[in-house]
Amino acid sequence: MAERSGQSLWKILTGHSAIQNTDLILSEVKTNKSLLVSGIAYFKPPSSASESKLLSSKDVSGKSAKFIQEISKKLNLDQWQSFLIFKSFLLEGYCGSLQDIHNLLPNSADHSTLLVNIEDYYYRERLYILRCVKQILGYWQDGSHPFRVVYERCVDVLEITTVAFVSGVWKQFDKSVKEEIPTTVETPDGERKWVHQLLLEQCELLEILLLFYKDFEFPPEKIVGSIKQYQGIGFGYESRGRCHLDVSSQLLSCHINHLYTIILLEAFYIEWLLKNKSDPAKLHKHRLSGFKESKSIDSLLQEEPSQCSPLLLAWSVLCYMLTDDEDQVKYLEQMRQLDCQSTFAYLLKMLESPFLSGDRPVAVVGKSIINTLVSLVISLFSEDSLGDIQVLLDISSHVLTHPRLRLEFWENGLDDGLGVLLVSAVKRLPFEIDHVLKLLLSLSQDELSAQRVFMLLNELNFYTEECPDNVLNNTNLILKHPRVLFEKEYLSLGLPPLLMPPGTKGVVSCSTDVMEEEDKEPPRTICWELMYSVWDYFAVQLIHLLHTSGIGMSSESHPVVDYVTMIIKLTARVIKYNWSVSFNIGPLLSNVYSVLHKFSGLLHPPVFLIAECINCLAVMAENQAKEVWRQLAQTGFLPQLIGSPQDLQISPSHYCNILNVWERAHGCYAVTLAMMRLLHSSLSSSDTISEYMLATIVYIMQAVFLTSQNWRYNSQKDREEFCHLILKLCLKVLETTANKASDSIHTMLHDFTVDLLLTSSGHVLIINVLGMGVSTVNKLMASSHNWCQTSVPIESLKISFKITDLLLQCKKTESVTPLEEALATRTVGHSFFSASTPQHIVTRLASYIYHHDDNTVPISAIQLLTRLASVAPMSMFSCLGQEALALRDNFVTRLSARTESNNLRIAILNLISVSMGTQPGLLELFLSLSLRRKNDSTSQKKEMIRPDSCLYPVLNMIDPKHQVPPVVSSLLSAGMHLLRVLWEGRHVAALEAVRSSDKFWEHLMKVLYDNLPHQSVEQDTQQTHKIRICVEIFHIIALELYYVNVGDIDKDLITSIGKFVSDGLYKRVCKVFQAKPQVEDSELSYKSEVGAAATVSVEIIKVQYDLAEVWKRFLLVALHHHESLFELHSNDKKEVLLQELLASLMVQTERLPQSLSVVTELLTLYLSLLKKWTSVTIPCKVIGRFIEILFSFINCEYHPNLWETLPLVYSCLICIVRSLKQNETELEVRYTHGLIPLIVQTLTHYTQYLSMSTKHYPEVYSVYLLSELTATILEDDESDQEWLLLLQDHSVVMILVQACIGHCEALSHPDFVNACFSFFLTLAMSNKGSRVLSGNNIFQLLNVSLCVVVDKLNPQIQIGDVKSLKELMPPSQWLKVWLSALKLVSNLLCSQGHYVIEPVINFIGAHYDRLAWVLDIYIATRFMESLEETESVCQFFQVLVEYRSQWRTVLLQQHNITIERLLNLFNGAIAVLHRNRIKDVIKTMDSHGLLQPEESSNAIKTKEHFSPKVNDDSWIKFSPAYLRVRDKLVSISISCLSVLNCYTPPLNDLFMCSFTQPLDLLEWPPLFHLFFDLPVLDPTCPPSISTLTGTLNVGCELLKKSDPSTRSSFVTVPPFRSPSKSSPLKSPVTPAPPHRSHSTPAVQQKRAEILLMLELAVVLLMSQSVRYIIDSEVDIVQKQALKKLLVSELGNFCQVLILNFHRKGAPSPRSSSRLSLSSSRTTTSQDSSSGRASSSHSFSDGLEQGLFKLADMFYKSKLLS
């Protein structure tokens, strides 16, 4: 039994299904061979055996079996075949839900409608079977058909060449013509339908026979029987139930007559006669030569010659040519008795029938046979003896419309066949022209024919005119005197007049082809032998018409109007197919504008002439649209704009009057239709829209879309054509004007069209077309099948889909537009083409899924629904109403059908995917999930997929069991996209159901494995879809791994991933980016390394970008959550991945700028991996690869985003350099030398592209790379000199300094200036680098240009007037510049010393206001954000104090004030530290909102889960700001102490002298007052000795907290957390073992800084105390109090040191060295020049031990003495 329905086989054979492979198609044909070979005989009558088989089948339930028996009775069909028909009907013809069927079957009363629908489907099925065979026979030898090879092999498979096949077809026809109306047909409508179906089947069978005999021989012995059968059926007009024939059935009867006639003509094999008429030897080899039954044929054809005149004519010609001379007379006489005029009229009627129109194989075969017959008759007999030549010309016009027949016509020449007829007709020009023009129009339909027609008329040798009465017939004349014809008209055209010279010969003849009245003689003509151009004559006639037509006359009555109309039509046809000839007929074309100007303004304009003129201009506009509209604007025919073009106000014109007055009144819109063609042609050929074109489009669209619903139309066909053209024009306008914002006219026209159709009432026409309905479409499609015509309404419907989609895309407002409102609420019943049951427009659109003949209709409807789902303001599910389930079932059914069109299935999947985010009701309808029990033992339930769910076909796409036919990549990509949307939307129920399906992850990973390429391949369309599949699957896996806990991941997924990773996942993904593109002309081009042209398609770039993006996300998820699963914990895998990514980058950068988006994603991924995988060893040659990448970027043509991606390249280089430095890999010189020119080139581009860039422009990163390279190279003493010379050779420093000067003065791009200062600081690390900086005008930048920056930093209000701390906040970017400048000056001063002291002092003078303000701001406001700047300023003065003599000499007053400010700052810092007021500072900052987000109270409380019972201030010590403030205050104190130690007596001198020994006290004025109160944060309280003792207390407290062996730490344990179970502290008497393992380098650094602060404070306290003790002016009581205080404080200090020493144990050399380095950092530099004795107490013998010895020595030597 057949497995496919006839409709499915039709789709497969015509290429409208998913099966495109030749072998698969042949397999389907083999499987259904019996169905195709048997045809309608395949269907059998009911039988008892079939009934038993039906009832015993397990697939058929009892209710279904009963209903199927009803079907069998209704159709008189075999029961089992009825069951198969019912199954096919449910899949392809049923417009309801399966649930409706289940509810309908038990109730017999409701079966009638369903049975009628099944009957209609059965009738269509019979026709589809016959059409499948006809399709194969029609195209199996057509080389232009894409399925020719398939059809050729189908001929062999079906054994069509055998006698059995054609005999079977004859038997089917014989049975059909004898068929009686079945008794089951009881109603007249049923009888009419049955008769109509019978005639359709007979037509199909005869067409199959005709196509068969086109290629295979007609048996001669069957001719007589066929003629008898032909006569027996009344020549096709006598059929069963002919009383029930309607108009369409009568046309079918005519078609049967014509087909049978053509088949018998083919049986006579007259083509052999035409080919061999001049070769008698071959002629008598004709297969009917000597045929025994010739007399029988003669007698049969003679019985009714009027009914079979073409057969009698063909038979007579055949016998005349094949018989001897004696019998030729008989047949010649027989032909003379035959009325050739009526025979040719009969043939013309056949050609004019709709069945022989168009280019169908049947029509081509029919035209070819008729052409052969007519050509043969003309070849044998003179055309004058054949009657009216006009009929022959009309026959030739119809025949020559096909390209193949036209080609044969020109190949045969003009001296044979129809060529003789053409020459004879042309000789009658210009006297008789109508029928000649028809023939020429038919010929002029391709380039070759148009050229030959032009040449034929351009050099014609005959001029025929009417003969005077005084000349006898058949007289040869010779012209004696010259004649000038149309002299005035020729001269007006600028052409020489047509001159007939003396001696011109002429022949007088009588016309026999023009029928005149009996009492009048036929017209006589003279044919002169005169060479002239008919085209010039045509132009003359046009001028003659212009001159002879008055304004007040009716031009339609003018005798030349029709004549000129035909001329213009022929002219348009010729130049349409061969534009090159237009230059030779310029006078004719130029006067077309004059015709429009002359006649368009008349009261009764010749509308058809005007329409043809506009059609001619439409053809001209395809090549020169601007010129056409320029000249047309001067005729007054076009509407024009009034006032401003933006207003779009239109003034009336001649065309407006024609439309409103004449066309709308008569219902004929020839001129308007021509105008639409002209506009469409102009928009297609030119990008320029003139104001006149704009006005015309606006006028037509306003008139049509707003009022055309109520216009009059002569016929439904006119209405359909009008609607089609206006919609076509509208679509062209939207497509042409889209994305052309630079052109104001395009923008105005686009906005007008969108406003007219989207936001006003102009959408009514479109809605009516959209609401045509599937029933109307099915009827139109059936009619197009039966009558062989293209359906204009269906084309209009397709255009309406596109227009609506574009309009919804163009929506700019948030409000609901009238079009959207109509789509949301409109109920359509009466459309532009038909009336039907009212239905919601959304339901009407969705119901197009029921249409199966043309997949474009449901695809376009679904695409529009998809657009509606994304933008519609309503629930589409509610709009579907009761039809929702039925529509859902049909959508899912067509989605599940493996033979269904892939484009249709993709459209359905896209609709469901879009519904995920916008139409939840529609999504749930398609998902169709249900809760079911997990198993019988538990009560757990899980989501399951119902059979009618859209997920079933999607999961089947990845199931290997359902891969026949194989799922194409584009369809699989759409299915994977739907799954990805479900994962992205976290549709829990759907995900649970999908995961629970059988082997889901295994199947999914297999699809990924199969679609990733194993090696680099050329990118083509198929490969692009495969990559898209991989993109979607990577998204799904990444989302699954991200959201699902590690322990809950499916084991199949883990196993599949592990297997795939082991099989080279990373390499295979990177091969996609390394693939070579496929070369195509229409795509974007790039230049490869060797300069060869190559191409990269936009689609390939897009899919590679998507893959790069998801690959990046996939790897980041793998790194953060499942590193071991993806084997990314191995350095080998990491290195492989980095190498492949780099190789991919190298390939992609060759394609810049087209591949910029791909390169950006790959660079981002590579940079992320570099930052994360710091342990991976990066080879130095990688820098060479990045140099090539950098070179490609810099030398690439400009692209808007190019300079935003370049920073990623520099960032990667920075990470690579740091990695090489970390791994102690030597940086090769060739790479560093290669980078410098590229960096300089980047800086050169800086000035050009900086304004186009964002804050991440590449120059910043190039400077940072330069800084990183400099820092690395300067560590090597052997390479630093060469590097510095390289920088000088390329003027790098000068370029950066000049750039910084410019930007500082302009206050622009602070991030770039910061990067430059970072490089300057790096360069200043060495003495040589400092000299390079000093020699490149660095101090101009620091002392002059930086003043602008400092002025911007200074607040505009005084400190005392501050109401909010935010008023004092400087711009953060420029503050960084200022801080970098301070560090740079400090470094230069340290390395260059006296060489730069003068510009450094100038720096102080230039910026002293800011320096002083910084030293005062913290004491005044406790502004924490100023601490960093305060610290930098203090460190600067710490370095500067080494050169205090020069400073004091130049800036004495500023020097003294600065020392005083430093004292106050030191006092304030110690006051905050001593009284633990840090939390007050932080609290103040938090209240003003000046803390960083992660340091604020809300962030800390949220992170630490504070209980409401906890004190509000306890969060402060958990804030990173607490440690930051404390560390900054310690650093400021150290810097202040270092400076103040330079202004107190040296400690060595104090130990050398006694208390009574005199000391020059004037040289060392006291710094601290002799007060003993605790330090306070009050500027009015001067610093005192208590400040120093408070410093010792603060230092000791911090020293305790910095001990890692103690319970205390920098951040105390919160009160609500339980303390440690055991403390590592021991008794203070017994020393504990060292806990160095707990001490980190950061902690050791903090301890070193605290000890340094204690050292400086102790030295300063001792020095200032001795200074007061030896001062004779100090009261003795105060001295004693001072000593007492010192004994107490130093005793406590020593005890703390002893306790800390015992807890710490013996100090390590490492700690000791770190302290020495820390101490020397601040003390060595300041004491080296002055030779201060404090360097002898650097405490290199230990940390706390040195301090203890110093305090003990001072106590014993000074306080106890």
Side-chain angles (χ1 to χ4, degrees), residues 1210-1461:
Y1210 281 113
S1211 299
C1212 290
L1213 281 168
I1214 292 171
C1215 289
I1216 293 170
V1217 172
R1218 290 175 181 172
S1219 177
L1220 294 175
K1221 181 179 179 181
Q1222 176 183 347
N1223 297 325
E1224 298 180 354
T1225 304
E1226 181 181 357
L1227 190 60
E1228 297 183 21
V1229 176
R1230 55 174 178 157
Y1231 295 137
T1232 57
H1233 285 210
L1235 279 171
I1236 286 296
L1238 297 176
I1239 294 175
V1240 173
Q1241 197 170 354
T1242 304
L1243 294 173
T1244 306
H1245 283 73
Y1246 174 68
T1247 2
Q1248 182 178 359
Y1249 294 117
L1250 189 58
S1251 60
M1252 307 176 187
S1253 305
T1254 62
K1255 63 179 181 179
H1256 298 295
Y1257 42 80
E1259 290 72 19
V1260 176
Y1261 290 87
S1262 65
V1263 177
Y1264 280 129
L1265 174 61
L1266 194 63
S1267 178
E1268 197 69 36
L1269 290 171
T1270 303
T1272 304
I1273 295 174
L1274 291 184
E1275 292 180 357
D1276 186 2
D1277 295 335
E1278 298 178 359
S1279 304
D1280 58 350
Q1281 184 63 33
E1282 184 179 359
W1283 174 254
L1284 294 175
L1285 289 175
L1286 184 64
L1287 294 179
Q1288 289 182 328
D1289 290 342
H1290 289 86
S1291 304
V1292 175
V1293 180
M1294 179 59 70
I1295 292 174
L1296 295 179
V1297 169
Q1298 293 300 325
C1300 286
I1301 290 175
H1303 289 305
C1304 286
E1305 292 176 353
L1307 287 176
S1308 61
H1309 302 290
D1311 42 0
F1312 175 73
V1313 179
N1314 266 313
C1316 293
F1317 270 98
S1318 174
F1319 169 67
F1320 297 154
L1321 287 170
T1322 305
L1323 203 59
M1325 289 168 52
S1326 66
N1327 293 332
K1328 296 177 183 178
S1330 299
R1331 287 197 294 271
V1332 171
L1333 280 174
S1334 301
N1336 281 278
N1337 211 15
I1338 188 65
F1339 279 102
Q1340 180 185 356
L1341 168 64
L1342 295 171
N1343 296 348
V1344 180
S1345 303
L1346 202 63
C1347 291
V1348 182
V1349 177
V1350 173
D1351 289 342
K1352 183 175 180 62
L1353 295 178
N1354 290 332
Q1356 303 299 320
I1357 58 176
Q1358 298 296 326
I1359 294 178
D1361 299 332
V1362 174
K1363 297 179 181 179
S1364 172
L1365 295 179
K1366 286 187 176 181
E1367 298 176 2
L1368 299 176
M1369 288 186 66
S1372 58
Q1373 292 291 333
W1374 289 114
L1375 179 60
K1376 292 179 182 178
V1377 173
W1378 166 242
L1379 297 180
S1380 300
L1382 289 173
K1383 294 177 184 178
L1384 179 59
V1385 174
S1386 301
N1387 289 352
L1388 289 173
L1389 187 58
C1390 286
S1391 57
Q1392 296 295 303
H1394 292 283
Y1395 296 103
V1396 295
I1397 186 60
E1398 182 177 351
V1400 169
I1401 293 177
N1402 292 337
F1403 175 84
I1404 299 173
H1407 308 299
Y1408 183 75
D1409 291 340
R1410 180 67 187 181
L1411 295 172
W1413 186 86
V1414 170
L1415 295 177
D1416 292 340
I1417 181 62
Y1418 184 73
I1419 302 302
T1421 64
R1422 286 178 283 180
F1423 181 36
M1424 189 182 70
E1425 290 300 320
S1426 67
L1427 284 177
E1428 185 175 359
E1429 186 179 3
T1430 305
E1431 179 188 19
S1432 298
V1433 172
C1434 292
Q1435 290 175 354
F1436 167 68
F1437 284 119
Q1438 180 182 350
V1439 178
L1440 181 65
V1441 77
E1442 183 178 349
Y1443 307 95
R1444 56 188 174 277
S1445 59
Q1446 293 91 330
W1447 180 20
R1448 184 187 294 116
T1449 302
V1450 179
L1451 302 171
L1452 177 61
Q1453 182 179 1
Q1454 294 179 355
H1455 167 270
N1456 295 336
I1457 296 175
T1458 301
I1459 300 302
E1460 182 180 352
R1461 284 191 165 100

Side-chain angles (χ1 to χ4, degrees), residues 1142 1145-1146 1148-1149 1152 1156 1158-1168 1170-1171 1182-1194 1201-1217 1235 1238-1239 1242 1256-1266 1269:
L1142 184 57
L1145 276 170
M1146 296 295 296
Q1148 291 295 326
T1149 48
L1152 289 173
L1156 181 60
V1158 183
V1159 173
T1160 302
E1161 292 298 324
L1162 292 178
L1163 281 171
T1164 305
L1165 174 59
Y1166 193 85
L1167 180 60
S1168 302
L1170 282 179
K1171 291 181 177 180
V1182 174
I1183 296 182
R1185 300 289 181 269
F1186 269 94
I1187 289 177
E1188 297 178 22
I1189 295 173
L1190 191 58
F1191 182 82
S1192 299
F1193 266 90
I1194 293 176
N1201 299 326
L1202 187 68
W1203 288 83
E1204 296 183 10
T1205 306
L1206 190 54
L1208 294 173
V1209 183
Y1210 281 113
S1211 299
C1212 290
L1213 281 168
I1214 292 171
C1215 289
I1216 293 170
V1217 172
L1235 279 171
L1238 297 176
I1239 294 175
T1242 304
H1256 298 295
Y1257 42 80
E1259 290 72 19
V1260 176
Y1261 290 87
S1262 65
V1263 177
Y1264 280 129
L1265 174 61
L1266 194 63
L1269 290 171

Side-chain angles (χ1 to χ4, degrees), residues 24-243:
L24 292 177
I25 295 176
L26 290 175
S27 175
E28 294 289 340
V29 173
K30 288 179 183 178
T31 305
N32 298 274
K33 177 179 177 180
S34 61
L35 175 65
L36 294 174
V37 172
S38 302
I40 56 177
Y42 173 81
F43 299 102
K44 307 297 181 183
S47 64
S48 57
S50 179
E51 182 179 7
S52 301
K53 181 179 179 181
L54 177 70
L55 297 177
S56 61
S57 176
K58 298 180 180 179
D59 298 333
V60 184
S61 63
K63 297 177 182 178
S64 300
K66 184 178 179 181
F67 179 69
I68 291 170
Q69 287 180 335
E70 292 184 33
I71 297 175
S72 175
K73 182 180 179 182
K74 174 76 173 176
L75 304 180
N76 192 28
L77 182 64
D78 179 271
Q79 288 87 345
W80 186 255
Q81 289 182 340
S82 299
F83 169 63
L84 297 178
I85 287 290
F86 181 57
K87 285 179 60 177
S88 300
F89 168 75
L90 293 180
L91 292 175
E92 300 172 347
Y94 180 56
C95 298
S97 66
L98 297 179
Q99 186 62 39
D100 294 339
I101 287 288
H102 292 302
N103 298 334
L104 188 65
L105 290 181
N107 190 0
S108 302
D110 299 333
H111 290 176
S112 56
T113 304
L114 185 59
L115 287 173
V116 171
N117 293 334
I118 295 174
E119 182 184 30
D120 294 339
Y121 175 79
Y122 170 63
Y123 287 163
R124 292 197 304 270
E125 185 69 11
R126 292 168 65 96
L127 293 176
Y128 272 117
I129 295 171
L130 298 176
R131 286 168 184 164
C132 289
V133 179
K134 186 174 68 175
Q135 180 78 7
I136 295 173
L137 283 172
Y139 295 102
W140 75 286
Q141 288 188 340
D142 186 356
S144 62
H145 199 280
F147 276 56
R148 187 195 68 81
V149 177
V150 177
Y151 297 154
E152 187 176 9
R153 296 177 64 180
C154 286
V155 170
D156 298 332
V157 171
L158 298 178
E159 301 177 355
I160 290 179
T161 58
T162 61
V163 178
F165 171 79
V166 70
S167 299
V169 178
W170 277 113
K171 289 178 181 178
Q172 294 175 56
F173 182 76
D174 294 340
K175 182 181 178 181
S176 179
V177 296
K178 299 175 182 178
E179 194 81 27
E180 296 289 345
I181 299 178
T183 57
T184 55
V185 179
E186 300 174 352
T187 62
D189 290 339
E191 292 179 354
R192 277 193 293 269
K193 184 168 66 173
W194 184 89
V195 171
H196 187 79
Q197 173 69 20
L198 188 69
L199 294 177
L200 282 174
E201 292 176 4
Q202 292 176 10
C203 290
E204 296 292 341
L205 289 169
L206 288 175
E207 288 182 357
I208 291 174
L209 289 171
L210 175 60
L211 294 174
F212 178 85
Y213 289 124
K214 168 182 68 75
D215 302 315
F216 304 102
E217 182 180 343
F218 193 102
E221 62 274 9
K222 192 173 178 58
I223 295 179
V224 175
S226 298
I227 295 176
K228 289 181 179 179
Q229 185 185 48
Y230 186 30
Q231 292 177 339
I233 61 174
F235 302 98
Y237 294 107
E238 293 184 5
S239 60
R240 306 295 178 182
R242 58 182 177 272
C243 59

Side-chain angles (χ1 to χ4, degrees), residues 1728-1741:
S1728 59
S1729 61
S1730 58
R1732 300 185 59 80
S1734 61
S1735 61
S1736 62
H1737 297 284
S1738 61
F1739 316 121
S1740 59
D1741 54 342

Side-chain angles (χ1 to χ4, degrees), residues 1536-1549:
C1536 292
L1537 287 169
S1538 298
V1539 174
L1540 295 175
N1541 264 295
C1542 295
Y1543 295 92
T1544 192
L1547 202 56
N1548 287 347
D1549 296 345

